[in-house]
Amino acid sequence: MAKASNTEKAVKPNVFMRIGLFIKQIIDELRKVVTPSAKELFFWSLAVFIFVLLLMALVTGMDFGLGKLVLWVFG
């Protein structure tokens, strides 16, 4: 048998109400954001910079090492 006809469908709000709700949720989330102090921002930036330098060194070393290995094997 088919579903009973008296079951209610989930009513979807119209497009303008959904856009309004979306914007309200964005504003609510932006109010939760904590802005770092200048000192915190500096040290986080420094940490990211050092991490990127370490990864660059790792990739450079792997590139150099694998290049030498390929030249040794096929050279």
Side-chain angles (χ1 to χ4, degrees), residues 14-64:
N14 68 33
V15 68
F16 297 110
M17 290 178 70
R18 286 185 287 165
I19 291 173
L21 178 64
F22 180 69
I23 292 172
K24 180 185 175 301
Q25 289 172 343
I26 290 173
I27 292 170
D28 289 342
E29 289 299 319
L30 284 175
R31 286 191 179 137
K32 296 177 188 178
V33 174
V34 178
T35 306
S37 66
K39 185 178 179 182
E40 289 174 329
L41 185 62
F42 172 75
F43 282 112
W44 278 109
S45 300
L46 184 65
V48 169
F49 184 71
I50 291 170
F51 181 73
V52 169
L53 286 177
L54 289 173
L55 283 180
M56 284 173 52
L58 176 71
V59 170
T60 301
M62 288 175 55
D63 183 42
F64 182 76

